[in-house]
Amino acid sequence: MKFEVFVTLKDEVLDPQGKAIQQTLNGMGFANIKDVRQGKYFDLDIDENDEQKAKLSAEEICKKLLANQVIEDFKII
């Protein structure tokens, strides 16, 4: 089963890299950019036929390795 995982900083956590990207875009003439938040993207291919079990594995992987749950959220698709 294939899953896409998006890991992003929580809204209340400052994102200096996103802010730098926003300022650069504004400097390039994209004045309508209000905010940029950066994150991480992962493709997971789990060798499991049961969708429920595969999704549980993906969640466990996110919680144990891919996302720092103190400052990051994750979304599995």
Side-chain angles (χ1 to χ4, degrees), residues 53-72:
K53 286 181 182 179
K55 181 132 188 193
L56 286 173
S57 290
E59 287 178 10
E60 188 174 354
I61 289 167
C62 289
K63 290 176 182 177
K64 289 186 175 183
L65 179 66
L66 301 182
N68 176 348
Q69 292 187 300
V70 174
I71 61 170
E72 294 175 318

Side-chain angles (χ1 to χ4, degrees), residues 10-53:
K10 293 183 177 186
D11 289 339
E12 61 272 12
V13 176
L14 296 176
D15 184 359
Q17 187 174 2
K19 185 56 79 180
I21 294 167
Q22 176 194 355
Q23 290 172 345
T24 301
L25 288 170
N26 290 153
M28 295 173 66
F30 297 99
N32 59 343
I33 303 298
K34 186 176 176 184
D35 191 29
V36 175
R37 303 285 291 179
Q38 63 89 30
K40 300 178 276 190
Y41 169 81
F42 301 93
D43 275 325
L44 292 180
D45 191 356
I46 299 175
D47 189 15
E48 175 61 62
N49 292 326
D50 184 317
E51 185 175 354
Q52 181 85 12
K53 286 181 182 179

